[in-house]
Amino acid sequence: MRTLHAQVVVVGGGHAGVEAAWAAANLLADAEPGSVLLVSLDPTKIGVMSCNPAIGGLAKGQLVREIDALGGLMGLATDATGIQFRVLNTSKGPAVHGPRAQCDKHAYAEAVQSMIASRREIRVIAGSVEGLLVEGDRCVGVRVAGAVRAAHAGGSAHAAAGEPRWDKLAFWPEGEVELRAPAVVLTTGTFMRGLMHTGEQRTEGGRYGEAAARGISASLEALGFELGRLKTGTPPRLRRGSIRWNELSEQKGDERPVPFSDLSGVGADVPPFPSLAVFPVLRQVSCRETATNEEAHRAIRENLHRAPMYSGQIESTGPRYCPSIEDKVVRFAERDSHGVFLEPESLRDDWVYCNGISTSLPADVQDRIVRSMPGCEAAEILRYGYAVEYDMVRPHQIDASAMTRRLGGLFLAGQINGTSGYEEAAAQGLVAGLNAARHAGGQRPVVLGRETSYIGVLMDDLVTKTPVEPYRMFTSRAEHRLTLRADNAPDRLTPLAKELGLLGGGPLGALRVRAYEERCTQLGALHRCIEAATLDGEPLSRVIRGQALSLSDCVRCLPEPGAPEAVWRTAYADLRYAGYMPRVKAEIRRQREMEDRRLPDDVPYESLTHLRTEARQALSRFRPRSFGQASRLEGITPADLTLLSVLVDRWQRSK
């Protein structure tokens, strides 16, 4: 059997996998070529947007901005391929603004593949991981069954000139091969024992047209990991030419698109990042709005017995925040209509995504639903909606660095941890890739606190709560959201990324450092100008704090020093929330004190009989690293924490 050696092995080429590989490559930039091995069932599907080709949104946009501030890929790939940019929630304060972009799905995958192919540190392996290599209490690699070379191995059907040819850039093993490394990152998405449902029809697979991965689930179970089962879904896709498109209400993007990356549009030429030279890169489009009606709801109610979620065919839990149309009709029976957004998937074809009618109903029922909607009476369905069930690992078995507690060197990221969404997956991938590379180098893990980032909130939520449905990020989950805004992500995180080596070497890393330094200079100068300015005899800073001026009003009041719009947004938000900062900072200090109070790893919680049974069970299951984490566990009260402090001190003295 052939053996390949590396520093980090990443399994899966989705949004979590590419961020993990990219982050690890940035830290290992001085290592040998191929120090990061990225395993994909089919390299031509790396970076594919399997559901809606949209990035960002409420809270998710903050995640993408943070990924970019930490040197990740998603923001740059989005800026290079976005066909509609909108900032959501602008009627509210800047803390909850959510940047979002509809992307060209073909261009996005190609952009990600080009970025991965540009890195000498990353080598792509085509194959299916059939098991983990374990020595003692450490994961030391994976066993890969060679992939059959696909006929389309040279790239997607829409590949542009110069697109990576994976038959040349990837290693396609003919038989089994062992990949050995000190750190392994699993980012299996919906592929672990994936099962797709459309009505009574069931097909094994993680997404349309792709096989399931069965070996990893069995390997994890054999090692003692507790697995769960979740479900997600997708709506039908329509042919735009069959829709009465121009008769429907138009939803336009922002007149002045806001990029996800502070590097986009700076005019630099750093291949393969087209958004650095010009932003936006692609032609911008609009979406359309339609809705379901009583006729569609009647069709759904008449066929609930054929819906996998109601027939008992699917027993796992789906996302409550993004329910299927059959769930909506049942749960909101008083409503006779639900809005549907028709969103183009690409500039290269006429596929349209029906945002709002995710479903696993049979094809004939989907036909009735779609053709009852205004403008869609003659719509052609190019692909029917379906649900997919898949295995996940209960995330109380990892810590906030993404490494499993059971096996050193094994990291989990993405839907394998029970999350949903491209952005949540990418954020976890970055954390896992960072810590996998540090683990391989014998360094301590890095954990982002809840007060530093939405990524920190995400990781902490995963290790302190058991998801009963796919986890999605919301602004309400971040108690410090006034300081964790989309506009100030680089101010919060880029210095840390530079310190850790996450910005990488080469021209892109140098450009990130220079852009951040220029931003700091501009932000400082702008704050000084605002403090010195007056409006109708009153200090301009006080007027802004009183929320009497909009951002555009402020810019008109103070055209100098001519700071970029991104810098203005941060200065404006800083002043809007200045009055709340003393209380916010006091709460952050209190939380840090709790986080600094560490809990020993070997506390025998079940023997602490003075604690309530529910508290003992929660502490034993999650094994929190600190009193701060313990305070956020389900079933733990303030009284439990007070008693826990006394009992742990007593136990330590008795050792």
Side-chain angles (χ1 to χ4, degrees):
M1 181 185 297
R2 184 169 181 180
T3 302
L4 298 179
H5 294 272
Q7 293 297 300
V8 175
V9 172
V10 178
V11 179
H15 303 282
V18 296
E19 293 291 354
W22 188 265
N26 281 341
L27 266 68
L28 299 170
D30 296 328
E32 293 293 316
S35 54
V36 179
L37 300 179
L38 176 59
V39 186
S40 172
L41 285 166
D42 181 353
T44 68
K45 300 296 176 65
I46 288 174
V48 162
M49 307 180 91
S50 52
C51 196
N52 189 3
I55 296 292
L58 302 180
K60 291 170 173 282
Q62 280 87 332
L63 284 174
V64 183
R65 288 281 293 153
E66 292 177 355
I67 290 166
D68 185 74
L70 289 167
L73 283 184
M74 181 169 271
L76 286 168
T78 302
D79 289 348
T81 61
I83 55 178
Q84 187 193 82
F85 291 84
R86 294 179 63 216
V87 178
L88 309 182
N89 237 15
T90 54
S91 63
K92 298 182 179 179
V96 293
H97 290 180
R100 182 187 188 271
Q102 191 76 13
C103 294
D104 184 308
K105 64 181 180 183
H106 304 302
Y108 187 93
E110 292 166 6
V112 171
Q113 290 176 25
S114 293
M115 294 174 188
I116 294 297
S118 73
R119 297 301 296 266
R120 60 187 285 279
E121 301 87 356
I122 302 174
R123 187 179 189 188
V124 177
I125 309 293
S128 172
V129 171
E130 297 302 315
L132 303 177
L133 304 178
V134 177
E135 294 178 358
D137 60 355
R138 295 182 303 120
C139 181
V140 296
V142 298
R143 189 178 71 256
V144 175
V148 177
R149 209 179 279 256
H152 59 295
S156 71
H158 298 275
E163 183 58 26
R165 291 190 56 82
W166 291 114
D167 53 345
K168 292 186 167 72
L169 294 173
F171 173 56
W172 299 73
E174 298 299 331
E176 266 199 5
V177 60
E178 285 189 352
L179 309 181
R180 287 188 163 262
V184 173
V185 183
L186 295 184
T187 69
T188 52
T190 59
F191 284 82
M192 288 206 311
R193 288 199 289 231
L195 184 63
M196 296 179 289
H197 301 259
T198 301
E200 298 88 349
Q201 180 182 347
R202 287 183 280 194
T203 307
E204 285 195 4
R207 63 184 170 214
Y208 183 86
E210 296 182 63
R214 304 195 64 83
I216 298 180
S217 288
S219 183
L220 290 169
E221 282 184 321
L223 290 166
F225 283 95
E226 180 187 343
L227 303 188
R229 194 87 170 147
L230 290 177
K231 167 253 177 188
T232 189
T234 190
R237 271 70 158 184
L238 313 181
R239 186 183 298 282
R240 174 174 164 166
S242 65
I243 302 169
R244 300 204 315 273
W245 191 258
N246 292 328
E247 297 179 20
L248 296 174
S249 177
E250 184 178 22
Q251 184 193 62
K252 295 182 177 180
D254 291 342
E255 191 173 327
R256 296 180 60 184
V258 175
F260 279 96
S261 176
D262 284 345
L263 299 188
S264 291
V266 298
D269 183 16
V270 183
F273 303 98
S275 63
L276 303 186
V278 59
F279 172 82
V281 177
L282 300 182
R283 175 172 60 86
Q284 301 297 286
V285 303
S286 62
C287 301
R288 291 295 189 273
E289 296 181 54
T290 185
T292 62
N293 51 34
E294 184 52 40
E295 182 181 345
H297 296 189
R298 186 183 312 111
I300 293 167
R301 287 190 292 266
E302 289 172 356
N303 288 278
L304 278 176
H305 63 286
R306 302 172 66 196
M309 284 292 292
Y310 289 88
S311 67
Q313 184 173 308
I314 293 177
E315 297 181 357
S316 50
T317 306
R320 173 171 44 90
Y321 52 82
C322 186
S324 65
I325 186 60
E326 48 267 41
D327 272 351
K328 290 180 184 178
V329 169
V330 171
R331 286 165 49 189
F332 307 106
E334 72 283 359
R335 293 188 56 173
D336 56 12
S337 178
H338 293 281
V340 178
F341 292 97
L342 302 178
E343 301 173 335
E345 292 195 341
S346 176
L347 299 178
R348 307 181 194 176
D349 61 33
D350 61 352
W351 284 49
V352 171
Y353 184 91
C354 294
N355 192 342
I357 54 170
S358 173
T359 183
S360 58
L361 283 161
D364 61 293
V365 183
Q366 293 189 42
D367 286 333
R368 288 179 62 185
I369 295 169
V370 167
R371 289 168 187 158
S372 70
M373 298 190 306
C376 300
E377 292 83 355
E380 177 186 353
I381 298 181
L382 296 170
R383 180 181 296 164
Y384 289 97
Y386 62 92
V388 57
E389 287 186 286
Y390 56 94
D391 285 350
M392 48 84 72
V393 177
R394 300 290 185 192
H396 67 272
Q397 298 167 102
I398 66 171
D399 61 29
S401 73
M403 188 165 75
T404 64
R405 300 171 186 265
R406 185 176 293 272
L407 282 182
L410 179 62
F411 296 79
L412 309 181
Q415 286 175 291
I416 192 173
N417 286 333
T419 62
S420 175
Y422 304 149
E423 304 83 1
E424 290 89 345
Q428 293 171 73
L430 188 149
V431 171
L434 160 66
N435 284 311
R438 288 178 65 85
H439 181 83
Q443 297 171 288
R444 292 176 61 83
V446 172
V447 173
L448 298 175
R450 297 180 69 91
E451 78 283 358
T452 68
S453 57
Y454 273 76
I455 298 177
V457 173
L458 165 64
M459 296 306 300
D460 185 70
D461 279 355
L462 290 180
V463 302
T464 58
K465 298 172 175 62
T466 299
V468 295
E469 62 183 359
Y471 176 99
R472 174 180 175 170
M473 179 54 68
F474 295 106
T475 53
S476 59
R477 297 191 192 272
E479 61 269 35
H480 304 306
R481 56 187 171 273
L482 296 188
T483 57
L484 305 183
R485 307 186 306 269
D487 65 82
N488 69 358
D491 308 315
R492 294 184 277 116
L493 297 173
T494 298
L496 175 64
K498 181 181 177 183
E499 176 187 337
L500 296 174
L502 268 174
L503 301 184
L508 185 65
L511 184 60
R512 284 193 182 278
V513 172
R514 187 165 71 249
Y516 173 70
E517 290 173 346
E518 290 176 357
R519 173 183 168 84
C520 289
T521 300
Q522 293 164 344
L523 186 57
L526 181 55
H527 269 301
R528 288 191 294 273
C529 286
I530 292 173
E531 290 297 332
T534 60
L535 180 63
D536 297 330
E538 188 172 0
L540 180 59
S541 58
R542 185 183 302 169
V543 177
I544 296 173
R545 290 189 187 100
Q547 304 183 15
L549 288 179
S550 67
L551 174 58
S552 57
D553 291 335
C554 292
V555 174
R556 284 193 293 269
C557 288
L558 190 68
E560 297 298 333
E565 185 176 343
V567 173
W568 255 110
R569 284 196 298 272
T570 297
Y572 176 76
D574 286 345
L575 288 167
R576 280 282 302 270
Y577 295 125
Y580 300 97
M581 286 305 103
R583 187 174 64 189
V584 169
K585 290 177 180 178
E587 176 59 26
I588 289 174
R589 281 195 302 271
R590 188 197 67 80
Q591 185 171 307
R592 281 179 179 162
E593 289 170 1
M594 292 283 283
E595 298 302 329
D596 289 341
R597 294 187 61 194
R598 309 299 294 176
L599 279 166
D601 292 337
D602 55 345
V603 177
Y605 293 112
E606 286 295 347
S607 70
L608 304 181
T609 54
H610 291 83
L611 282 171
R612 295 179 307 113
T613 300
E614 184 181 7
R616 293 201 308 273
Q617 291 174 344
L619 291 165
S620 296
R621 178 179 176 82
F622 291 96
R623 305 212 63 86
R625 300 294 191 190
S626 69
F627 277 86
Q629 273 195 355
S631 72
R632 295 186 292 276
L633 297 180
E634 294 170 295
I636 299 295
T637 68
D640 292 329
L641 290 175
T642 301
L643 183 55
L644 177 65
S645 179
V646 173
L647 295 175
V648 168
D649 285 345
R650 184 183 301 170
W651 170 77
Q652 287 181 307
R653 288 196 301 270
S654 68
K655 287 178 65 176

